[in-house]
Amino acid sequence: MSVRHSILTLLYSRPRHGYDIKISFDEMVHHQWNLNVGQIYTTLDRLVRDGLVEPLNAEHGEKKEYQITQQGREELYQWLIGPVERSLLKDEFYFKLLCAKQIQFHQEEEMIRRQKEMILRNMLQMRALRTQLDPVEDHAMILLVEGAILHLEADLKWLEL
């Protein structure tokens, strides 16, 4: 996840202050990813430095708001249109399996059993989340959840091999 681009996305519609960005981010991802407030302010400073965001003057103790610049909009468009590279062989469990084979680890079946259990728990969590989502308002999140379930099913099938 790109904190930089998530902030640009949230500033696209209107100026916001840091805490508003945090609340809006949590709502956008249905509280599925943690975004630290400190990360937000650090990233905002970098975005201002890079000319992608500009601060608005705060009046008498009001929180400082930020707005996206035209350069920031262009950066966001470029990021959105670009493909996402998938790390095909850099999966942590696959790497653990390679390490286990390297040392002739004798609990490989137990590793696989535990991994299957975790995948099944994750699938239950995703399915529970899916039932909480509104088909109209949360269409994009539903697609994300459905994709996650398909990936989990593929991982489970691979472990069965």
Side-chain angles (χ1 to χ4, degrees):
M1 178 204 52
S2 170
V3 173
R4 171 185 181 103
H5 294 101
S6 64
I7 291 174
L8 290 174
T9 298
L10 293 169
L11 293 177
Y12 189 88
S13 59
R14 66 179 172 84
R16 300 174 191 263
H17 56 78
Y19 188 70
D20 186 18
I21 291 171
K22 166 75 171 138
I23 298 300
S24 299
F25 177 84
D26 289 345
E27 290 172 0
M28 181 172 70
V29 300
H30 296 269
H31 303 275
Q32 297 301 303
W33 294 302
N34 185 31
L35 180 58
N36 183 304
V37 176
Q39 276 181 289
I40 292 170
Y41 286 106
T42 301
T43 305
L44 280 168
D45 288 343
R46 289 188 194 121
L47 291 169
V48 168
R49 178 198 67 203
D50 296 343
L52 304 177
V53 163
E54 59 189 13
L56 300 174
N57 293 332
E59 302 267 336
H60 307 292
E62 289 180 21
K63 295 177 181 177
K64 185 189 297 185
E65 288 189 322
Y66 297 85
Q67 68 182 10
I68 192 170
T69 63
Q70 184 57 38
Q71 185 180 346
R73 288 174 187 271
E74 292 168 11
E75 164 73 20
L76 180 58
Y77 297 153
Q78 288 302 310
W79 176 73
L80 288 170
I81 200 74
V84 175
E85 190 72 40
R86 283 194 99 48
S87 180
L88 300 175
L89 297 176
K90 293 182 182 178
D91 178 273
E92 187 173 354
F93 183 75
Y94 303 153
F95 184 69
K96 284 175 71 171
L97 257 179
L98 290 174
C99 291
K101 296 234 182 251
Q102 189 72 26
I103 67 166
Q104 287 84 40
F105 187 65
H106 298 292
Q107 293 179 306
E108 201 173 291
E109 286 182 27
E110 179 65 11
M111 283 175 60
I112 292 170
R113 185 190 67 74
R114 289 180 182 195
Q115 189 67 20
K116 285 179 183 178
E117 286 176 358
M118 178 151 60
I119 289 171
L120 290 171
R121 278 193 307 274
N122 291 157
M123 288 173 75
L124 288 173
Q125 290 169 339
M126 289 293 102
R127 288 185 175 131
L129 175 60
R130 171 67 174 86
T131 64
Q132 298 169 8
L133 299 173
D134 181 90
V136 175
E137 288 184 28
D138 302 322
H139 182 71
M141 191 64 176
I142 288 171
L143 292 175
L144 181 65
V145 169
E146 294 291 343
I149 291 170
L150 288 171
H151 282 281
L152 289 166
E153 288 172 349
D155 285 347
L156 197 57
K157 186 175 180 179
W158 179 82
L159 286 172
E160 295 294 332
L161 297 175

